Amino acid sequence: MTAPLYWQTEGEGSDLVLIHGWGMNGAVWQPIVEQLRSQYRVHTVDLSGYGYSADLGSADFEQMVQQVLAQAPKKAAWLGWSLGGLIATQAALVAPERVSQLITVASSPCFSAEKGWRGIKPAVLSLFTEQLKDDFKLTVERFMALQAMGSPNAKQDIKQVKKAVFSRPAPNPAALATGLTILADIDLREHLSQLIMPVCRMYGRLDGLVPIKVAHDMDEFIPHSVKVVFEQASHAPFISHSDEFITELHRFLAR
């Protein structure tokens, strides 16, 4: 039995699980948790190898999904950002009775670019992997800068994210490397038709990691899903456009 992940629960109401992205930790959600906890019982987690779960070391994709399922409420809405979107989607596929609603934010079922599919070029992921070995703090900072690119308040956004994320222990380098492998290798596209719960997909139109074309291509994979595009946002709309983001989230969860 592995040690439990660092897990926080705040607020009253229906259960909502928030899953952070690569290089981050649960503190990234703090600004919006303060607004959500009046209506929801909000659960945030530090994935294995990140933040206060750094000592647990690296876990592969299936292990990460199972670790979160092991501590999540019996039934909850799951919201995953970026890499967290892959984890939330896989949880919804393997344990559909546990996921009442699925929300993905700035996420893709296949992050890696390939013929006819937009995404992160393999060379960029390889570069991140190499840079990680040299200076992982700098690499994570660069990744944060990428995430805020195009946002009208980019500098302020990056400052806010850094302050939150760096308030917790640094991620485990092996977990960061595994995360990049997941982003390079996992492809859930052919399984999406099996999703039985309501699905909402949120995107930033200016996102450099999940190009807006993915948002439109996904209409074919999950035709009955709700698509929300934040016109001025990049890869972290819940930070750069938190009020709009919370309005859209309420609207979907209340359906």
Side-chain angles (χ1 to χ4, degrees):
M1 180 73 186
T2 54
L5 301 169
Y6 178 76
W7 192 278
Q8 270 184 304
T9 302
E10 296 179 55
E12 298 287 323
S14 55
D15 288 296
L16 173 64
V17 175
L18 304 180
I19 306 173
H20 66 79
W22 180 87
M24 305 291 133
N25 57 51
V28 80
W29 300 112
Q30 214 45 53
I32 68 161
V33 168
E34 285 164 20
Q35 297 178 68
L36 292 172
R37 64 187 176 199
S38 61
Q39 281 179 268
Y40 308 100
R41 192 159 165 256
V42 186
H43 306 265
T44 55
V45 58
D46 284 359
L47 294 170
S48 190
Y50 295 93
Y52 293 127
S53 302
D55 290 347
L56 300 181
S58 177
D60 67 25
F61 184 57
E62 290 300 337
Q63 284 173 314
M64 285 173 115
V65 173
Q66 291 304 324
Q67 285 172 335
V68 181
L69 277 168
Q71 285 173 252
K74 287 258 183 289
K75 194 160 187 135
W78 284 48
L79 184 155
W81 168 47
S82 196
L83 169 68
L86 274 178
I87 292 168
T89 301
Q90 183 66 357
L93 288 165
V94 299
E97 72 288 351
R98 303 278 307 277
V99 182
S100 57
Q101 289 155 296
L102 171 65
I103 305 105
T104 62
V105 181
S107 194
S108 171
C110 176
F111 275 88
S112 193
E114 53 179 68
K115 197 177 176 190
W117 182 260
R118 299 289 175 90
I120 310 171
K121 292 185 171 60
V124 174
L125 283 169
S126 299
L127 186 64
F128 266 133
T129 309
E130 285 308 308
Q131 289 171 342
L132 267 184
K133 293 171 190 163
D134 300 333
D135 185 340
F136 79 86
K137 191 173 181 206
L138 183 65
T139 304
V140 172
E141 287 192 2
R142 280 182 186 150
F143 192 66
M144 286 181 189
L146 261 182
Q147 294 178 10
M149 229 164 46
S151 148
N153 317 307
K155 276 192 175 147
Q156 192 184 325
D157 294 345
I158 295 166
K159 199 172 162 186
Q160 185 186 22
V161 177
K162 273 188 195 171
K163 189 179 169 192
V165 170
F166 290 144
S167 71
R168 296 188 182 180
N172 178 303
L176 288 172
T178 302
L180 288 177
T181 302
I182 290 168
L183 291 174
D185 295 350
I186 296 293
D187 184 354
L188 299 178
R189 286 176 293 178
E190 65 181 55
H191 306 293
L192 297 175
S193 60
Q194 297 164 26
L195 292 170
I196 56 171
M197 66 292 296
V199 177
C200 177
R201 303 175 284 115
M202 297 190 183
Y203 304 92
R205 188 177 61 83
L206 308 174
D207 193 341
L209 298 172
V210 179
I212 195 61
K213 187 172 186 301
V214 170
H216 304 312
D217 291 345
M218 283 289 290
D219 293 343
E220 288 177 38
F221 286 98
I222 325 178
H224 303 301
S225 58
V226 174
K227 176 175 69 182
V228 177
V229 177
F230 299 97
E231 288 296 320
Q232 298 302 316
S234 178
H235 193 62
F238 63 94
I239 292 168
S240 62
H241 296 75
S242 58
D243 291 344
E244 288 170 61
F245 177 85
I246 285 167
T247 300
E248 293 294 346
L249 181 60
H250 283 325
R251 185 176 293 159
F252 175 71
L253 291 175
R255 280 161 61 113

